[in-house]
Amino acid sequence: MAANFDNELVINEMGCISPAGPIGLEPGEVVLRLDAWVFQAGGACMSHVAGPFNGARWMTHPNPETEHIGDRFVPGPAKAVGLTVNLKSNGRTVTHVWNEEIHLKV
């Protein structure tokens, strides 16, 4: 299973974002939970999606009031960290953690 963030995320009018990206699942595999954190100096957005879900993409819709902490995002580089908890077709549960540099834009 491989998941990533989109290389660029758009900053909304509230100064927050909706983290999203591609996800690669094996046949019969489902995501039980996906957590996403994106941060810049002074601000962070944290959100999650409860499953089960499958498909080629994921997206979170954080509440800017409760899931964005600190300063508003500004255009430029940001750090993104993700975690999934997956259920394989054989009944085994696995986790996948990744981090990457992304770009935020208006």
Side-chain angles (χ1 to χ4, degrees), residues 2-71:
N4 291 320
F5 286 85
D6 287 338
N7 292 334
E8 291 188 323
L9 296 175
V10 176
I11 303 168
N12 66 27
E13 63 279 351
M14 303 280 295
C16 198
I17 55 171
S18 291
I23 193 165
L25 299 173
E26 296 174 6
E29 182 178 17
V30 296
V31 177
L32 300 176
R33 180 180 171 111
L34 183 142
D35 289 76
W37 299 271
V38 176
F39 49 95
Q40 287 180 316
C45 175
M46 300 159 285
S47 61
H48 78 277
V49 177
F53 68 89
N54 54 22
R57 293 193 50 78
W58 62 272
M59 176 176 257
T60 64
H61 300 285
N63 180 333
E65 302 277 325
T66 60
E67 296 178 301
H68 185 98
I69 298 167
D71 297 337

